[in-house]
Amino acid sequence: MKLLLAVARFVLFLVARGGACIPPLDRKYKIRERLGGPWVKVNCNLKNPDARPRRLWLHGASLGECKMLLSLARTLKKDWPSCPEILLTTQKAEAVAPLEKIADGLCEISIAPADLPFTLQKFIDRVNPAVLVLGENELWPGYVACMKRAGRKTALVSGRILRDPVGVDLSSLDFVAHQKDCGNWKLLEWARETPQANSSESPGAIAGRLVSSNPVDVAFISFHKEELASFCALASSAIAARKSVVLAPRRLEEVSLFCGALQARGFQTVTWPQVQKSAVSIVNRFGCISEILQDCRIAVIGGSFVKNPGVHDFWEPLRAGVQTFVGPYTKGAEEAASELLASGALLQIQDPVPTMADSRRIADFLNVPANGPAIKSALQTQRQKILNSYERLLKFLSVNL
């Protein structure tokens, strides 16, 4: 296995070096920066190693995971007087600019270093991370190994890992907080600010929902191109009922594919933030989900109408008091989804591709009332799990930084 990983890294290095020589590819994927940094504005590479300031390194895959880690950074800054400088890295080049805007100087944002031995050694020398906190399922073998060799600590928060991934032994990590036991940390800031369960507020009121002049009837969130047929069937029933529909594709490069498919089917499309009855509003930029959910009645979560890659975040719309549906697959969040479905807080559309001929049955999802008490109870349970695991992380970090 170690030999296979070494070969894979060598192939990755060759591909990356070749791609770095092609300017359009280098600009799009930040290849040179992945290989050689600088990653931070001020390097820790001082003559006296003992004088180097230590950093906290947070790492996530794409915008969603990194927004969760940003909320962790904000919370740590409030609760931990001696919190060190923080670097947040992401695997997605297109997420760097939106994250810098959201962070607003809270911490440094950078593309992640390539998972190559010489690159990671350079990264540790320049950044000097004392602890690496990984978000959800971003367990890169080289990251864990290089931190261990350097005598540094590694943690996993809001983990969606059910078994040891290739090249990583979860027992070798110094701190682990799984979602199934410790909650989804995308709700961390909400959990810190929300009243206890005896509050009389509804889920929507707790979340501070706004009422806009252009409400969204149905939002399809983080849909993949593989879910196009499912989306079209469900959107068609909503449009036939004169509802306003919003589509946020998971990947921006798939926006044109969705637009073409909708136009070929005769659907009217507009561009978000414009919302129109009997039309589909297409979201063509990152960072809009919170805005969409501010005045939304129904959310349908992508990644759940195909078996892979896994269901996306259903907690954010639930937190916003929105009636939330998933498809037949809940890979990566099976236990939480099962509990929520059993309680009625989350609802499920059973067919991966609903049949257009049975339009009345498809449209049933438009008329199911939200189960406010079930949503509120589920959120409060989740809140306590998150706060308990966050307190454990805070103690772990204060000892090791």
Side-chain angles (χ1 to χ4, degrees):
M1 184 61 68
K2 290 183 178 179
L3 178 60
L4 288 175
L5 288 172
V7 171
R9 288 196 186 103
F10 181 69
V11 172
L12 173 63
F13 167 70
L14 294 178
V15 172
R17 284 292 298 268
C21 297
I22 305 173
L25 285 179
D26 186 43
R27 287 193 297 270
K28 182 175 182 180
Y29 297 108
K30 298 182 181 291
I31 299 173
R32 291 181 186 274
E33 188 176 346
R34 290 180 193 270
L35 293 174
W39 301 296
V40 288
K41 294 177 182 176
V42 180
N43 291 336
C44 290
N45 193 10
L46 305 175
K47 291 183 178 180
N48 181 5
D50 295 332
R52 297 187 304 169
R54 294 184 296 176
R55 285 187 174 93
L56 175 60
W57 175 20
L58 310 181
H59 173 71
S62 55
L63 189 62
E65 292 88 350
C66 289
K67 285 173 68 177
M68 178 267 288
L69 291 170
L70 269 180
S71 72
L72 172 59
R74 276 190 290 267
T75 307
L76 288 173
K77 291 282 189 179
K78 292 177 183 177
D79 296 342
W80 188 13
S82 58
C83 181
E85 292 183 18
I86 298 174
L87 170 66
L88 172 61
T89 60
T90 174
Q91 290 294 347
K92 299 291 185 181
E94 63 270 26
V96 173
L99 285 169
E100 287 177 335
K101 183 177 180 181
I102 298 169
D104 193 26
L106 174 75
C107 61
E108 291 198 69
I109 308 292
S110 172
I111 195 68
D115 189 3
L116 299 167
F118 76 91
T119 293
L120 291 172
Q121 187 58 56
K122 183 184 293 186
F123 178 87
I124 287 180
D125 289 342
R126 292 187 177 180
V127 176
N128 195 27
V131 177
L132 163 61
V133 178
L134 299 160
E136 297 200 350
N137 57 359
E138 273 297 278
L139 282 164
W140 289 80
Y143 288 16
V144 176
C146 80
M147 291 292 286
K148 195 174 186 67
R149 283 196 302 270
R152 318 298 171 91
K153 303 294 185 179
T154 306
L156 173 69
V157 298
S158 199
R160 295 176 65 178
I161 305 295
L162 300 179
R163 60 187 62 87
D164 287 1
V166 176
V168 179
D169 177 6
L170 290 179
S171 65
S172 69
L173 302 182
D174 301 289
F175 179 96
V176 177
H178 287 291
Q179 280 190 15
K180 64 178 182 179
D181 302 316
C182 305
N184 188 322
W185 285 34
K186 287 178 180 175
L187 300 177
L188 176 60
E189 287 187 283
W190 167 84
R192 295 276 283 107
E193 298 167 0
T194 301
Q196 291 288 347
N198 59 7
S199 168
S200 61
E201 294 176 304
S202 67
I206 289 174
R209 294 183 67 196
L210 303 177
V211 178
S212 71
S213 59
N214 229 1
V216 176
D217 291 316
V218 188
F220 294 86
I221 297 172
S222 293
F223 267 64
H224 296 261
K225 64 181 180 181
E226 292 83 3
E227 300 173 290
L228 179 60
S230 302
F231 164 71
C232 286
L234 294 167
S236 178
S237 65
I239 289 171
R242 296 191 55 77
K243 303 297 184 181
S244 58
V245 175
V246 171
L247 168 65
R250 178 65 175 179
R251 299 186 176 94
L252 291 183
E253 58 266 29
E254 295 177 0
V255 167
S256 59
L257 184 148
F258 277 98
C259 287
L262 289 170
Q263 290 165 4
R265 288 167 170 78
F267 293 167
Q268 183 178 356
T269 61
V270 295
T271 302
W272 175 265
Q274 183 181 357
V275 177
Q276 186 175 313
K277 294 291 185 181
S278 300
V280 179
S281 175
I282 306 290
V283 180
N284 60 6
R285 54 188 171 87
F286 281 122
C288 299
I289 302 303
S290 297
E291 184 182 354
I292 293 167
L293 294 174
Q294 283 178 351
D295 195 11
C296 176
R297 195 172 71 84
I298 294 172
V300 184
I301 307 302
S304 63
F305 290 88
V306 287
K307 292 183 179 180
N308 290 307
V311 65
H312 294 300
D313 181 22
F314 44 73
W315 283 108
E316 186 173 8
L318 286 175
R319 184 199 64 83
V322 175
Q323 175 73 295
T324 305
F325 287 83
V326 293
Y329 308 110
T330 56
K331 181 180 177 182
E334 293 92 342
E335 186 171 328
S338 179
E339 292 176 359
L340 291 169
L341 289 167
S343 72
L346 188 67
L347 299 174
Q348 192 166 43
I349 298 170
Q350 296 290 344
D351 298 329
V353 183
T355 306
M356 295 289 290
D358 194 359
S359 58
R360 187 168 67 178
R361 182 171 59 83
I362 296 174
D364 284 348
F365 83 100
L366 298 170
N367 304 314
V368 180
N371 190 335
I375 294 174
K376 184 175 179 181
S377 175
L379 286 169
Q380 292 295 352
T381 299
Q382 190 75 185
R383 173 184 183 272
Q384 199 56 56
K385 287 182 178 181
I386 295 166
L387 292 181
N388 290 343
S389 56
Y390 166 71
E391 289 299 324
R392 288 198 299 113
L393 178 71
L394 190 57
K395 290 179 182 178
F396 167 77
L397 293 176
S398 63
V399 169
N400 291 287
L401 272 158

